[in-house]
Each structure stands twice: as C-alpha cells, then as structure tokens.
Amino acid sequence: QPFALKAGTACTWSKSGTHLIGVCAPVHVSQRARISPTTSIAGPLLNVTGNNCIFSNFQLFQGHDAASTALGVTGQRNYFHNVHVAGIGHATAGDDAASESLLITGSENLFERCTIGLDTIARSAACAEIRLTTAATRNKFIKCAISAFADNAGALFVDIPDSAGIDRYVWFDECSFVNGIDSTATAMTVAMNIHATCGGTVVLQNCFGYGFTDWGNSFANIAQLGLPSSDSDTTASMGLAINGD
C-alpha cells in the first residue's frame, strides 16, 4: 500500500544491516509503494547514513517547493534495486541549482535498475539528477535510467562540482540518460558537470545518451567504453543518439 512520512518529518536510515522492500508490482517508475511527505521537506527526504542495507522496489517522491533532495546517501556498501528516486518534483525546486534527486557523499554503494529523476517537472536551472561530493568513492550504477525534462540548457544529469568530489571512480554501466526533447524539452549543453580536479574517473560503459549536446564540460576525467554513434564520431559523442541533440 502507498504510505507517507509524517508531516514535516524526514527519515534518517541509520541502522546498519536493515532493509526496506516495497511490496508492489516491480515497475520501473512510480511504484505504488512509495515515500511521499504530507508537507514540504527540504530533505534529504530519505537520508541513508547506515551501512550494508538493501532498498528495493519503491518510489521516493520529493515535491518540496524550494531547493531539495530526495535521497541522500552518506553510508557505505548499500544496495538500491528498482528504486525510483523522483526528486525535484516542484517547479520552484527546478528553478534552484541547489536541488538534486540523489546526493551521494558515501562510498561503495550500488544502484541497479533504478530510475533517478523525473520528466514531468521542468528543470530550469543547473540542478542535477545525481550530485556527488566529499570524495564519494567507488559508487556504481548498473542498468539505471536517469531521466530529466530540461527547459534550460544548463540542467544536468550528473554534477561533480568540487575538487576531490569523488575518489577512484563513479561507474555507469549500461545506463541511459534521457532528456525529453521530443516532448518539448530543451537540449542540455552537457550531461555532466565534472570539476577539472574532481579526484577520480567517471566511467561510462556502454551508456546511451539523448537530449544533450555532449557528455561533459571536460573529458579529462571521463573514460568511455562503447560503440560510437557513427563511423565519424569522436570519443566525445560516443553513445549519443545520432539525432540526440
């Protein structure tokens, strides 16, 4: 059954080795087992500080009317499976560059078959679906769908804004990054803002991108593995749809 947090209350998941599993149809978006506040919460709506936990088959919806976060992960070695992190669910939050769907400062967390972001609320500033800071280390995404609806070319899928914001790597394996330009969204300039001295490598392994001009503002820290969009494509456009911008 759907459930909601108490009014004005965020949830901190601090107990290590405990799990939260949604009992509903395992669809990829808007699962009917969900966490949705009854009043505005800046967030993180769910803040995972514990380690070695499993989260599966539910939705987090963050509809706060200002800068906000849906899911914050400061813990380590947690596993997220088929979770829809539906952040930036209000137009005012979409106008604030400090908003994100997922904020990671922890290390060695795995996201598998998750959907991160929303394509129903416009992103009108340099907000991000995924933001990594504080030397976030060895986090990995497998077969995840990162979704957005930009009406500003500066909106982002991934933001690593700080020097030493990550360590070792953040790894995207068979992930899709789709901005709904065929549904009137504005093409993003870049999918990812990556600080020149971010402290690690952004690995794109067999990833697909649509609705942006280029993967990153800098390729100094991006490693790509995948088929090019055409024979003449350079590394910079590898994995982009042929008509993706």
Side-chain angles (χ1 to χ4, degrees):
Q1 294 294 321
F3 60 92
L5 294 176
K6 293 180 180 179
T9 303
C11 178
T12 297
W13 198 272
S14 59
K15 186 71 171 179
S16 296
T18 59
H19 315 305
L20 179 61
I21 313 296
V23 182
C24 66
V27 296
H28 67 294
V29 294
S30 298
Q31 295 91 333
R32 293 298 86 188
R34 67 175 185 161
I35 298 174
S36 179
T38 58
T39 191
S40 291
I41 297 170
L45 179 60
L46 177 63
N47 191 29
V48 177
T49 62
N51 307 318
N52 189 37
C53 302
I54 298 172
F55 302 90
S56 181
N57 204 41
F58 64 90
Q59 179 195 32
L60 285 167
F61 174 74
Q62 172 57 292
H64 184 54
D65 60 356
S68 59
T69 305
L71 174 61
V73 183
T74 64
Q76 301 181 27
R77 295 176 295 280
N78 296 292
Y79 177 59
F80 298 84
H81 175 264
N82 198 43
V83 176
H84 184 185
V85 184
I88 319 179
H90 192 285
T92 305
D95 283 335
D96 197 317
S99 294
E100 63 260 327
S101 290
L102 170 61
L103 175 63
I104 303 177
T105 61
S107 298
E108 298 175 354
N109 298 286
L110 175 61
F111 297 80
E112 187 170 11
R113 295 184 180 272
C114 292
T115 297
I116 301 164
L118 281 174
D119 59 10
T120 56
I121 300 295
R123 278 73 169 118
S124 304
C127 50
E129 305 309 331
I130 301 170
R131 185 165 280 135
L132 300 104
T133 67
T134 322
T137 306
R138 300 187 197 90
N139 292 287
K140 190 167 187 177
F141 298 79
I142 300 176
K143 295 185 177 180
C144 290
I146 298 89
S147 181
F149 186 93
D151 68 355
N152 182 309
L156 298 164
F157 284 113
V158 177
D159 188 23
I160 308 173
D162 305 319
S163 177
I166 61 174
D167 192 6
R168 301 309 189 265
Y169 61 76
V170 54
W171 198 304
F172 297 94
D173 184 354
E174 292 189 47
C175 294
S176 62
F177 300 79
V178 177
N179 171 32
I181 56 171
D182 293 327
S183 301
T184 74
T186 299
M188 299 174 179
T189 302
V190 294
M192 303 180 184
N193 173 54
I194 304 169
H195 195 282
T197 56
C198 67
T201 304
V202 179
V203 179
L204 299 174
Q205 179 178 348
N206 294 318
C207 290
F208 170 78
Y210 190 70
F212 53 88
T213 302
D214 215 342
W215 280 107
N217 57 319
S218 168
F219 280 80
N221 297 88
I222 294 181
Q224 288 179 280
L225 170 65
L227 296 176
S229 299
S230 71
D231 291 341
S232 61
D233 274 350
T234 63
T235 301
S237 61
M238 188 175 291
L240 284 176
I242 293 173
N243 63 336
D245 57 356

